[in-house]
Amino acid sequence: MSRPWITIVAVLGVGGIVAGSYLLVDTVTESRALRQSTAVVAPTATGSAPPGPTPTVRAGDPGDRAASELVRRLGPERGGPFGARITSGSAQVALTFDDGPDPRYTPQVLALLRRQQVRATFCVVGVNVRAHPELVRAIADDGHTLCNHSWSHDVRLGRRSPAAIMADLTRTNRAIQAAVPGAEIGYFRQPGGAWTRAVVTVAGRLGMTSLHWAVDPRDWTRPASGTISRVVTSGVRPGSIVLLHDAGGDRRETVKALHPMVTSLRQRFSLSALPTGNGPAVAP
């Protein structure tokens, strides 16, 4: 074989290996996200009505201005996926609870936070909001911050069209505000942490800051309460956002971990809900 043909074949072979590597990494990442989704989402509702009409949001609309103002108040962020936040923007530590509300565990979490005089951020799923609006009202009445966690915990949501993402997030916001009229929804958390630029952009257009995390005890895998508490208390730094779950499966160990965990954290940090448009949501 002549030297030019040898060169061409070699280049094509290297290109195929690189492309295959990227495909493998993408497949593994998606597989992990899907496993997490399966583990944490409880089938609280089946079937759903078609989403309402998708609003047209343009640059300069109220959603854009609200998002810009919230980002300004939170302070700069670096390192989060596609710009999603991994810190509170201050020295305060933010506890966040995903996948609720759940009639078994959300009331227990609320009761413990009330006793400890701590406010947190609850990332709620639309189908659960629709099923248990009274729990969303209880969350809001206790002064916690509400976060949109999609309509049905669709891990692939970020890969869908901007119109489909907009419809999903809008539908969830409407359900939250039906339960709590006038509720401010300043945050969105992508299920499974499977962020894409598209979902971050659409959330921003709706006035929501994308919310990731810095500390994850993987409580959805149901480790012992001591493990959950130890991972969180040893991993938290000033400004950390902590990922926990009050729904999506058996959360008894998470509930059991909360008292020693929160007690330990309060000795070293100020714990706070993430701020909304009405000002910082801090502990009383």
Side-chain angles (χ1 to χ4, degrees), residues 117-135:
Q117 294 189 310
V118 168
R119 289 178 181 166
T121 300
F122 285 78
C123 302
V124 294
V125 174
V127 292
N128 293 340
V129 172
R130 183 178 62 181
H132 306 289
E134 75 287 352
L135 293 179

Side-chain angles (χ1 to χ4, degrees), residues 30 34 37 150-169 190-191 194-202:
E30 181 171 314
L34 286 173
S37 174
S150 82
W151 179 255
S152 60
H153 204 282
D154 180 5
V155 173
R156 296 178 183 268
L157 179 62
R159 293 174 176 244
R160 306 196 188 284
S161 69
I165 297 171
M166 179 77 75
D168 186 290
L169 271 55
Q190 164 63 29
W195 295 100
T196 64
R197 190 170 303 283
V199 78
V200 170
T201 298
V202 172

Side-chain angles (χ1 to χ4, degrees), residues 162-182:
I165 297 171
M166 179 77 75
D168 186 290
L169 271 55
T170 300
R171 186 182 187 191
T172 306
N173 280 349
R174 287 174 178 165
I176 295 170
Q177 290 173 333
V180 185

Side-chain angles (χ1 to χ4, degrees), residues 66 69-71 73-74 120-122 143-147 182-187 207 209 272-282:
E69 174 61 17
L70 187 54
V71 169
R73 293 178 59 239
L74 284 168
T121 300
F122 285 78
H144 302 293
T145 294
L146 290 167
C147 167
E184 293 190 66
I185 310 162
Y187 301 91
T209 294
S272 171
L274 289 162
T276 63
N278 285 331
V282 297

Side-chain angles (χ1 to χ4, degrees), residues 42 44 101-109 135 246-251 255:
T44 55
D102 181 287
R104 296 162 295 179
Y105 305 113
T106 301
Q108 296 180 60
V109 172
L135 293 179
D246 66 324
D250 184 342
R251 298 291 169 250
V255 171

